[in-house]
Amino acid sequence: MGQEIRGSPEAAALNGAEPGDGSIGSYLARQRRLRGVSVDELASLTHIPRRSLERLEAGVFDGTPDGFVRGFVRTVAEALGLDPDDAVNRLLREPREDEALLLARARQQRRKLALRITIAAAALLVLLALGRLSLWVFAGENESSDPVVYRRDTLRSLEAAPEKAPGPGPE
């Protein structure tokens, strides 16, 4: 066996960790370990460089279904005795990294927008409540103050009254 690289998928397997759980790389690494095949043996079987196999198992190529990666997956699956079409289909079903990032950003932007709308609505409600409270307070002050009294001008009322003729009254 060759020299193991620190942080390689084999080192992760020895530590009990799964590189990129649920991805095509971790699936192939798990199948390789179950069959007792080392990375060096797989490299000599497939004629794929060891470094490329380590990168495949580490998840570097996950979500990148280009022709080279599909060829790597197909070749490794055949060498391990797996169905190559099934392995390639697993690769194709994985969400692409940039799509996942776009979805995460869209969700985050929707949350931020919802928070901003909620804050704006709460601020509007507070302003309306303060406006109503101020109307109530100022209207209450006007009612408690002294009422306005209108006084009649007696001279003007005499002036406007029709004149009665002086004289003897009816007898």
Side-chain angles (χ1 to χ4, degrees), residues 91-166:
L91 172 70
L92 296 176
R93 277 186 275 149
E94 291 179 358
R96 293 189 46 197
E97 189 174 319
D98 55 343
E99 290 173 358
L101 287 175
L102 288 175
L103 287 174
R105 284 186 191 141
R107 272 189 237 114
Q108 186 179 25
Q109 287 175 346
R110 280 194 303 263
R111 281 189 217 121
K112 283 182 181 178
L113 180 62
L115 180 63
R116 288 178 182 157
I117 290 172
T118 304
I119 290 172
L124 181 64
L125 286 174
V126 167
L127 287 175
L128 288 174
L130 287 174
R132 178 65 183 133
L133 180 66
S134 66
L135 284 175
W136 179 69
V137 167
F138 289 124
E141 284 181 7
N142 287 339
E143 290 174 6
S144 66
S145 65
D146 294 334
V148 177
V149 177
Y150 296 101
R151 299 201 170 127
R152 281 180 35 183
D153 186 5
T154 52
L155 291 177
R156 285 193 184 180
S157 61
L158 288 175
E159 222 177 68
E163 291 193 25
K164 294 184 183 178

